[in-house]
Amino acid sequence: MNYQRPPEAIADLVNLKPDPLMLFGPDRDYIIIADRPMYPSVEELKEPKVKLAGRQINPNTFSPHGSRGFYHPRLHRISTGEERSFQGLPKGGMFRYFSWSPDGNRIAFCLATEDGLQLWTCDRQSLHCHPVGENNINNSLGGVPYDFIGNERFLIKRRIPGAKKPSMSENVTGPIVQDSSGKEGSNRTYTNLLQSDYDVALFRYYASSQLYLHRLDTGHETPWAEPGIIAGLGDSPNGKYFLITYVVEPFSFNVPYDKFADRVLLLDREGNVIRELTRRPVVEHLPPAFGAVITQPRRFNWRSDHPAQLYWTEAIDGGDPRRAAPFREQLYFLEAPFTGTPQKSIKLPLRFGALRWCRGDLAIVVDWEWASRRQVTRRWYPDDPSRTPDVLFDHNWEDNYNDPGSVVTISLPSDHSVLLTRDNGDTLVMVGNGHRPEGPQPFIDAFNLTTHEKTRLWESTPPNFERPLFFLDQDPEFFLLAREQANERPNFFLHHLVSNEEVRITDFPHPYPQLRHTNYELLTYERADGVQLSGELHTPEGFVAGRDAPLPVLMWAYPQEYKDADKAGQVLTSAHQFRRISPLSPLPFLAAGYAVFDDFAMPIVGEGEEEPNETFIEQVRMNAEAAVRRLVESGVADPRRIYVGGHSYGAFMTAHLLAHTDLFAGGIARSGAFNRTLTPFGFQAEERTFWQVPETYVRLSPFVHADKIDSPLLLIHGEEDSNSGTYPVQSKRMFTALDNLGKTARLCLLPYEDHGYAAEESILHMLWEMHRWMDIHQRPELSPVAESADRRNHGRR
């Protein structure tokens, strides 16, 4: 069929102008601003692509398929309000990867051409732009394909000169053979993997690159370091040394390229090898448990407050979190000239998470454990590794109400970040969401390292909802603040932490004034076993429950696993937040007169030794019954026109709700997985494999329960879904089952679309399908839950 459009009230919400890119310079007085394009067309999605090693690559441009960029770049100065456009750029050009030189006097970015990316640059004063070399950058693996080396030099990742694209005839020499290793492993269901010798040759061709050192003063460019498949590059704070990672062969047919074997090398400023730090094998056989890691060195990290000191960690528990061990990680370090033996630093009881640097007696290390949902923040002493780290916070990350927040960092001129401190270095600055039963109130705290006492420095104040984004590097009393209200979209301010002085930076108008005065309410309620739930109820402007006729309702959710029932009911949204309407969300249906119960709570709780998935079906049913009862009793929902939907794991949930309840007039399942035997090595938070708990995998497959689905089900899927576990065949096989069982179902496959939908035509058609589906289906009778709630509601009237 041809692409269709929903009613214009819905269609008008699709191509609203998106927010521009805003990139602050090092001194934070200048901002690069560039406009984002609207949605691409289906024709744009048709651009060539090759699918290799978990990547989708545009073979014409050696860049990720579907990358678009920005247009109309300009420079805004906060102190004067002046705004100037970049000069000398090609008309209609699209640009990617904007960045600042360390001193803030130069800007660099890439121009997207039909044949590839080309580096351009300009100085901040004139903004006159010019190219830096040819349009032969290799960006096949993504990431920024260049880097400032000082202020007037670049390292640029280019294609291998003279490389010849391989032909299939030269690279198919016989059958494809794989041998098992005899080792235990647990790989998720990856897509777009290498499948043949020809694929191997193609990946080698598209992924291999040569770094070049380009000097702006002379225009001279020379090869730097050895060519290869470069997966990472980072310089030391003093700029004299580089850490580089090369992907090496043989490649794997079982995992994407970021799990391929690699080499990690130390280089000098000229690109010469100083030392090979490690060779790591392909990661195909990790233990089947969350938190499992390799035993080779990993997570290399330059110490930000030192000229050239390199840290990394190694698992000392065999990389297996199931194994009892007093310590799981050992940190090591080396420093220039990197010729000695690696030195041991601290040991960590849990799995290594993150490092934040400050000075010789102050760094922050975070370690964590999946089974207990535990995260520990420790203060340690890099110059005294024998000293026991101090525990600052020992926190369950599911407990949002008691989250202490995160430490704040600022950037040094070396472009490496360090902790922001106050009171002569004895106090950390922390930011957090400030979750609480009445909704979040973001905050900034001072945390004293000696007394461990917290002092509130700033807090969001209702009816505003304000979020601190970052502190200025050169004047850290100022921070960037985003401020919004329920009916006012976010705008940005510079705010002084002490004086409350403020400078407004943006004045964005309301993006959809036609929906400015819709109603919002955070509904709270309780499910049958006492777990507290909540959801975001949106109703059309002027609607009053109990006075007006009940509305058709679209309920939308995404299940979340928890280990603690009390924490599952915590409120994470504020009534003062601006509700942005994405066309991929359910909110556009407000414009068609629907009530929308968005993000209604769908916790799946497994306390103690109990696994959440053992009672998944029972819990989603309880969640939905409680939500429907609340909507009907409140007078919002027309019991015969309540619809449920979700995307990805939410689609999986939707199919289960139609199979195991009779609450809904219909369901909408987008880009879902319905047969768990096709994801046999785990999914979502499920660590166990199919062979460990086959009954659970079978029972959790909506495909198995297709005969129980009596309400109409709309299945929508991108034809080129590359997400792990949600192959398009999942929706195809589910539809075939429903069709042959005589059920009411519809399958819509969106050409050229991935897991999330990108093209304007696709999004409009998706909304048309959803609107049509809900418009033509309604229940002939009430479900017992809705009937009971409706009877009580009428009794009150």
Side-chain angles (χ1 to χ4, degrees):
M1 68 181 298
N2 295 325
Y3 286 102
Q4 303 294 320
R5 289 175 63 88
E8 287 307 306
I10 296 177
D12 287 345
L13 298 171
V14 171
N15 252 327
L16 298 168
K17 186 176 181 180
D19 291 350
L21 166 76
M22 295 174 57
L23 183 63
F24 281 75
D27 66 359
R28 306 310 197 197
D29 189 29
Y30 290 90
I31 314 173
I32 299 169
I33 298 177
D35 293 323
R36 301 176 192 268
M38 303 293 190
Y39 292 103
S41 66
V42 168
E43 288 301 315
E44 289 179 78
L45 294 189
K46 290 181 182 179
E47 67 181 22
K49 75 174 72 168
V50 290
K51 302 176 181 181
L52 300 167
R55 302 292 300 175
Q56 296 188 56
I57 300 169
N58 184 323
N60 295 339
T61 62
F62 284 68
S63 61
H65 177 270
S67 295
R68 304 191 73 210
F70 307 89
Y71 65 95
H72 186 206
R74 51 209 185 269
L75 190 66
H76 178 89
R77 188 170 187 182
I78 296 172
S79 58
T80 65
E82 178 188 23
E83 192 163 292
R84 298 180 293 143
S85 296
F86 287 26
Q87 303 298 309
L89 296 176
K91 186 176 180 180
M94 295 292 290
F95 309 97
R96 305 175 195 165
Y97 308 118
F98 288 89
S99 66
W100 290 89
S101 64
D103 65 5
N105 289 323
R106 180 164 293 279
I107 299 167
F109 52 93
C110 289
L111 167 68
T113 75
E114 292 183 359
D115 301 318
L117 296 179
Q118 183 179 39
L119 183 62
W120 282 60
T121 187
C122 64
D123 68 81
R124 191 184 71 189
Q125 295 304 317
S126 71
L127 293 185
H128 182 76
C129 305
H130 62 85
V132 180
E134 302 300 319
N135 59 343
N136 62 351
I137 284 177
N138 189 335
N139 190 224
S140 296
L141 300 182
V144 181
Y146 70 91
D147 198 6
F148 274 103
I149 305 301
N151 298 306
E152 297 293 329
R153 297 188 303 163
F154 295 103
L155 277 177
I156 309 170
K157 189 189 292 187
R158 299 195 184 277
R159 304 171 202 175
I160 301 292
K164 180 184 176 183
K165 182 179 178 180
S167 66
M168 183 176 293
S169 61
E170 295 173 345
N171 289 278
V172 177
T173 58
I176 306 301
V177 177
Q178 297 183 68
D179 288 316
S180 63
S181 67
K183 300 177 181 178
E184 182 186 28
S186 183
N187 291 316
R188 292 293 172 110
T189 310
Y190 299 114
T191 60
N192 300 333
L193 301 179
L194 300 179
Q195 299 183 43
S196 66
D197 289 342
Y198 179 56
D199 280 356
V200 168
L202 279 179
F203 181 70
R204 186 187 303 121
Y205 170 72
Y206 285 114
S208 297
S209 60
Q210 170 68 63
L211 287 166
Y212 287 84
L213 181 63
H214 187 103
R215 294 172 171 82
L216 284 175
D217 55 349
T218 64
H220 193 238
E221 191 168 284
T222 55
W224 189 90
E226 61 185 72
I229 300 176
I230 301 169
L233 179 71
D235 62 338
S236 61
N238 64 5
K240 293 182 178 180
Y241 304 96
F242 291 81
L243 186 71
I244 191 167
T245 302
Y246 289 97
V247 172
V248 297
E249 301 190 45
F251 302 143
S252 171
F253 288 11
N254 299 318
V255 292
Y257 94 93
D258 56 359
K259 296 180 180 292
F260 285 4
D262 61 17
R263 301 168 63 209
V264 183
L265 307 176
L266 270 170
L267 309 179
D268 64 19
R269 186 178 287 174
E270 284 69 46
N272 301 311
V273 177
I274 297 173
R275 180 172 184 154
E276 181 176 271
L277 293 167
T278 186
R279 281 180 179 259
R280 301 181 289 199
V282 63
V283 184
E284 288 185 341
H285 299 288
L286 289 180
F290 289 1
V293 296
I294 61 175
T295 55
Q296 291 79 17
R298 70 185 207 284
R299 302 292 297 273
F300 288 90
N301 186 297
W302 289 110
R303 179 173 160 182
S304 302
D305 62 312
H306 190 285
Q309 195 175 71
L310 186 66
Y311 277 76
W312 65 89
T313 188
E314 297 182 26
I316 52 178
D317 61 351
D320 190 346
R322 300 171 303 179
R323 181 183 299 177
F327 294 96
R328 298 201 178 275
E329 302 278 354
Q330 172 69 67
L331 267 63
Y332 292 86
F333 69 94
L334 265 178
E335 61 183 75
F338 305 107
T339 55
T341 301
Q343 301 297 302
K344 289 184 177 181
S345 184
I346 60 169
K347 289 181 179 179
L348 297 174
L350 310 179
R351 189 65 72 215
F352 173 78
L355 274 173
R356 299 290 183 265
W357 302 100
C358 188
R359 57 181 189 263
D361 67 339
L362 175 58
I364 296 294
V365 63
V366 177
D367 54 336
W368 61 277
E369 181 180 69
W370 170 260
S372 63
R373 309 303 196 265
R374 183 182 173 203
Q375 178 175 296
V376 182
T377 302
R378 308 175 196 270
R379 182 256 180 95
W380 64 292
Y381 307 82
D383 289 350
D384 187 3
S386 63
R387 187 169 176 179
T388 302
D390 304 326
V391 174
L392 303 184
F393 308 105
D394 192 339
H395 172 240
N396 182 309
W397 67 67
E398 289 184 349
D399 187 3
N400 292 283
Y401 288 176
N402 290 297
D403 185 352
S406 303
V407 293
V408 173
T409 62
I410 55 174
S411 295
L412 300 173
S414 65
D415 206 27
H416 289 255
S417 61
V418 294
L419 294 168
L420 173 60
T421 62
R422 300 168 66 86
D423 303 329
N424 297 315
D426 196 41
T427 300
L428 297 176
V429 179
M430 307 194 68
V431 298
N433 291 316
H435 291 296
R436 58 191 72 183
E438 59 271 25
Q441 281 183 245
F443 64 82
I444 300 174
D445 276 354
F447 180 83
N448 188 282
L449 288 163
T450 302
T451 65
H452 289 194
E453 292 180 351
K454 290 190 291 185
T455 303
R456 185 65 37 104
L457 301 177
W458 173 90
E459 188 173 53
S460 175
T461 306
N464 292 322
F465 183 81
E466 300 164 307
R467 293 172 290 121
L469 301 180
F470 60 80
F471 283 76
L472 302 197
D473 299 333
Q474 296 185 3
D475 188 358
E477 294 294 335
F478 275 100
F479 63 93
L480 184 69
L481 173 71
R483 177 179 295 142
E484 61 197 86
Q485 291 187 7
N487 292 317
E488 296 292 339
R489 56 147 309 147
N491 273 288
F492 300 97
F493 302 79
L494 278 182
H495 188 96
H496 196 277
L497 187 61
V498 178
S499 69
N500 290 323
E501 175 189 352
E502 200 165 80
V503 179
R504 187 179 187 116
I505 297 175
T506 63
D507 192 12
F508 296 134
H510 197 289
Y512 21 87
Q514 70 272 37
L515 295 180
R516 183 172 194 153
H517 298 296
T518 57
N519 306 310
Y520 169 83
E521 182 181 0
L522 181 69
L523 286 189
T524 56
Y525 48 102
E526 184 179 289
R527 78 182 192 186
D529 61 355
V531 173
Q532 299 299 307
L533 304 175
S534 64
E536 300 182 26
L537 176 64
H538 303 260
T539 55
E541 179 179 354
F543 174 79
V544 177
R547 182 198 71 184
D548 300 326
L551 300 171
V553 179
L554 175 56
M555 300 172 58
W556 202 261
Y558 190 96
Q560 298 284 348
E561 292 87 353
Y562 292 88
K563 294 299 291 180
D564 187 317
D566 290 338
K567 298 176 179 62
Q570 293 184 348
V571 176
L572 304 181
T573 59
S574 167
H576 305 297
Q577 288 177 263
F578 180 74
R579 263 64 198 182
R580 189 175 295 277
I581 297 180
S582 162
L584 295 176
S585 80
L587 292 180
F589 291 93
L590 281 168
Y594 284 77
V596 175
F597 199 31
D598 193 17
D599 198 23
F600 74 95
M602 192 53 66
I604 313 299
V605 183
E607 296 188 308
E609 297 299 316
E610 180 184 351
E611 291 289 341
N613 278 333
E614 293 307 310
T615 55
F616 180 95
I617 293 172
E618 293 80 3
Q619 293 196 59
V620 296
R621 183 168 57 218
M622 280 195 294
N623 294 333
E625 287 173 350
V628 167
R629 182 177 290 110
R630 182 73 170 86
L631 290 172
V632 174
E633 287 182 345
S634 68
V636 171
D638 175 353
R640 292 181 175 81
R641 296 201 64 192
I642 302 176
Y643 308 90
V644 66
H647 191 95
S648 194
Y649 205 44
F652 171 77
M653 169 207 75
T654 297
H656 271 302
L657 287 175
L658 295 196
H660 301 290
T661 77
D662 58 357
L663 298 169
F664 302 103
I668 299 164
R670 296 193 328 219
S671 299
F674 307 102
N675 186 342
R676 283 302 168 200
T677 68
L678 298 179
T679 57
F681 288 101
F683 55 92
Q684 295 298 114
E686 179 57 68
E687 297 179 273
R688 301 167 298 173
T689 70
F690 168 82
W691 293 273
Q692 291 174 294
V693 285
E695 299 85 359
T696 299
Y697 273 71
V698 171
R699 184 169 181 262
L700 255 63
S701 296
F703 178 84
V704 173
H705 306 286
D707 61 324
K708 303 185 186 77
I709 294 178
D710 294 323
S711 296
L713 178 59
L714 171 63
L715 299 158
I716 302 176
H717 218 116
E719 270 195 331
E720 300 193 25
D721 192 335
S722 62
N723 184 56
S724 175
T726 55
Y727 294 117
V729 72
Q730 292 271 8
S731 288
K732 292 178 182 179
R733 294 293 176 263
M734 187 68 181
F735 173 76
T736 299
L738 293 168
D739 183 28
N740 284 280
L741 288 166
K743 306 297 183 177
T744 302
R746 180 178 174 90
L747 172 64
C748 173
L749 297 174
L750 298 172
Y752 309 105
E753 292 291 355
D754 207 321
H755 190 61
Y757 317 139
E760 178 182 358
E761 297 96 323
S762 301
I763 294 170
L764 288 169
H765 187 87
M766 173 202 75
L767 292 168
W768 177 82
E769 291 279 2
M770 293 172 65
H771 182 263
R772 172 185 172 275
W773 196 248
M774 294 186 290
D775 197 42
I776 64 176
H777 294 293
Q778 68 177 31
R779 293 180 59 86
E781 74 287 323
L782 298 183
S783 71
V785 170
E787 184 176 17
S788 172
D790 193 50
R791 186 164 52 248
R792 287 196 298 272
N793 192 38
H794 276 67
R796 287 197 302 271
R797 295 174 188 169

